[in-house]
Each structure stands twice: as C-alpha cells, then as structure tokens.
Amino acid sequence: MPMKTVTADITELRVDAIVNAANPSLLGGGGVDGAIHRAAGPALLAACRALPESAPGVRCPTGEVRITPGFALPARYVIHTVGPVWHGGGHDEALLLERCYRHSLQRLREHGLRTIAFPAISCGVYGYPPAQAATVAIAALRDELGDDLGGIEVTLCCFSDAMREVFQHALDHSG
Ligand code: AR6
C-alpha cells in the first residue's frame, strides 16, 4: 500500500516533497502555510514572491500547484497548492480539491521524486468537511497512482488524531 496516515507536524517530515495548503498569493498565511513558512525560513517567501502572477495577487489559482525548494525544511521541496473554500458543495469544491491532489502527484513525478506528504487540504480555515475531503483525496490519489511502478509513497499527514481517524477510515473504505 503506497498510502498511509500519520498524526504529525508536516514541517518535521523528511520526504522528497511536502504539500502546502496555501492561498493564491503564495505569500504565507495561517495554519499549515504559516508553519511551513516559519520552518523553511525567509528564503521560501522570497522564492514564492519570485513566481509570476497570473492575475493581480494570484501566483497559484485554486486547484493548481507550484514548486519551490524546501530551504531549511527537512523536505527537499514544497509543492504549494490552493484548495477550494467550502461554499456548501455546489461550487465545484470536490473537482477543485481533486485537482490539488492529482496535480501534486504529477509534479512529484515530473521532478523524479518519490515520497510526498499531504496535509488535510482545505480542512482548516477553508472549511471543507473532513470526511468528504478525505474521500475525494483518497479517490484522486488512488486513481492518479494507478499501477504506479515508480515506488511513490504518499503520507497523509494529519495534525490531530481525530483528523487521522477520518482519513484512515476513508482509506480503509476505498478501492
Ligand atoms: N502540520 C500538518 N497539518 C497542519 C499543520 C502542521 N504543522 N498546521 C495545521 N495543519 P489550513 P486550508 C492542519 O487552515 O483549510 C492559510 O492561512 C490543520 O489542522 O492550514 O487549506 C492559507 O494561507 C487542518 O487540518 O488550510 C490559506 O489562506 C489542515 O492542516 C488557508 O489557510 C489544513 O488547514 C488555507 O486553508
């Protein structure tokens, strides 16, 4: 099984890439985004600021990804993605969340990397119901991994045991 859940601080994981649940500016924020910027150091903010804007204040539209080095993190790279804000489920939230997971794995492969850790994208400030987010996340990852022979290992990094139980339950009841 190339997927597992853990309860951990994602900034402490020694993997090829950690995923950041960012906002479109990529200039930092609260939650996991704030923790990643604090742990990576100011070079991460400078690298994000250097990424081109596709619209004023937008360096990464919802559902897309951008990659930077990890700087002072144990992880080699940070894949920044922007999850959807939950507006009740009728505003393409599931489709956009699915894209975050798929595009992150695609970017991992493009860079020849193998190990990746995801936080519970959109499950904090952005208000996505965790059980629904977990189902979307795992279906997207399973489908994108397919019969992966590249040895990709996915860690679903939850910040509480309660969140981990939600993701583990979804993992146990998928596929
Ligand atoms: N390690 C792992 N998970 C964490 C950590 C950590 N160090 N810290 C928090 N979490 P959130 P979102 C969990 O709000 O909902 C930011 O301000 C947290 O408990 O970080 O996608 C951005 O700039 C929750 O389960 O991300 C955006 O503006 C999960 O990470 C906005 O928040 C995601 O919570 C993005 O909101």
Side-chain angles (χ1 to χ4, degrees):
M1 165 63 78
M3 273 198 265
K4 66 174 181 193
T5 64
V6 298
T7 305
D9 177 346
I10 202 166
T11 66
E12 295 177 357
L13 299 185
R14 192 168 293 280
V15 286
D16 293 335
I18 61 171
V19 175
N20 184 16
N23 63 68
S25 77
L26 296 187
L27 297 183
V32 71
D33 191 8
I36 289 172
H37 275 273
R38 277 193 298 280
L44 181 61
L45 184 58
C48 287
R49 205 182 283 283
L51 294 168
E53 288 181 331
S54 57
V58 178
R59 290 180 185 78
C60 185
T62 305
E64 294 191 15
V65 299
R66 301 289 183 267
I67 190 166
T68 66
F71 298 103
L73 290 163
R76 289 168 61 201
Y77 292 90
V78 179
I79 296 174
H80 307 262
T81 191
V82 179
V85 177
W86 180 257
H87 289 298
H91 294 79
D92 286 338
E93 291 94 331
L95 180 72
L96 292 164
L97 186 62
E98 177 184 337
R99 283 189 190 148
C100 293
Y101 285 92
R102 283 185 184 278
H103 289 153
S104 295
L105 274 193
Q106 289 165 6
R107 194 57 58 94
L108 188 82
R109 283 196 171 110
E110 284 163 18
H111 283 255
L113 306 173
R114 211 175 60 75
T115 56
I116 185 167
F118 286 91
I121 300 166
S122 287
C123 291
V125 174
Y126 280 1
Y128 209 116
Q132 292 179 55
T135 301
V136 169
I138 285 155
L141 289 167
R142 269 197 197 286
D143 192 60
E144 194 62 42
L145 282 167
D147 299 323
D148 179 64
L149 296 175
I152 290 180
E153 288 175 18
V154 175
T155 301
L156 298 162
C157 178
C158 300
F159 207 40
S160 67
D161 287 331
M163 188 66 83
R164 183 187 180 183
E165 275 172 31
V166 170
F167 274 76
Q168 187 61 51
H169 181 85
L171 193 52
D172 293 342
H173 292 84
S174 69

